[in-house]
Amino acid sequence: MAEINLEIDEEVLPQFHSLAMDRKYRYITFKINDDKSKVIPAEQVEESTWEDFVLALPKEEPRYCFYNFEYTLSGGEGKREKVILINWVPPSLNIFGRTIYASSKKTLLSAVNYGNIAIQADDKGDLVYEEILKAVSSGGTK
């Protein structure tokens, strides 16, 4: 699939840093603007549970979501936090929309210098907490 190089809005990087470095947000979401030329901020949420985040995902609109995932290690090793990417692409999205979100993800990740855990989610059933926890704690992708 050819990469589509969209512009990245000037607010994307500062918002990502506020999440990843400053831990100001629990999650942030980005979307592609209406004329399909730029990735722009969509939402910034300071406090949320995983369940509330999943419920807040739009039913018919895709998003790039960065979530500050907190979890406790087994064996009493304490709490950890990892920023994860959820590439949210609902099944109702047309093929052009699916293609543009899939092919421009690399541009966004490069702009924010992110290379950690990426989750592809087409349905809220793909975001079961226990499955995400397995992916996060093993450092893999889902």
Side-chain angles (χ1 to χ4, degrees):
M1 177 182 309
E3 181 180 333
I4 297 173
N5 288 313
L6 299 179
E7 237 183 279
I8 303 296
D9 187 85
E10 64 185 28
E11 287 300 312
V12 168
L13 188 57
Q15 286 187 14
F16 179 79
H17 280 239
S18 290
L19 171 94
M21 307 293 193
D22 303 333
R23 304 294 192 208
K24 179 178 178 182
Y25 302 116
R26 173 64 56 205
Y27 69 87
I28 54 177
T29 65
F30 301 105
K31 64 181 183 176
I32 296 174
N33 65 356
D34 291 339
D35 68 1
K36 311 290 187 256
S37 64
K38 186 186 287 190
V39 176
I40 61 172
E43 185 176 21
Q44 308 80 36
V45 175
E46 291 181 15
E47 295 294 326
S48 178
T49 65
W50 178 257
E51 293 76 16
D52 289 341
F53 161 71
V54 172
L55 288 172
L57 290 169
K59 287 185 178 184
E60 300 196 14
E61 295 179 32
R63 293 288 187 269
Y64 300 111
C65 310
F66 290 96
Y67 188 91
N68 184 8
F69 193 88
E70 287 185 352
Y71 61 102
T72 303
L73 294 174
S74 59
E77 295 180 42
K79 287 189 174 188
R80 299 286 192 270
E81 293 181 47
K82 281 191 183 176
V83 174
I84 61 173
L85 166 69
I86 295 97
N87 192 31
W88 173 248
V89 184
S92 60
L93 191 63
N94 66 36
I95 192 71
F96 176 73
R98 296 179 79 73
T99 301
I100 196 168
Y101 267 83
S103 61
S104 60
K105 180 175 81 171
K106 186 175 180 182
T107 302
L108 173 62
L109 297 181
S110 178
V112 299
N113 195 25
Y114 180 84
N116 287 328
I117 298 164
I119 309 291
Q120 176 64 42
D122 300 329
D123 181 85
K124 292 183 180 185
D126 294 334
L127 298 172
V128 174
Y129 179 85
E130 291 76 16
E131 293 299 315
I132 302 303
L133 178 59
K134 285 180 195 174
V136 169
S137 60
S138 69
T141 59
K142 180 179 178 297

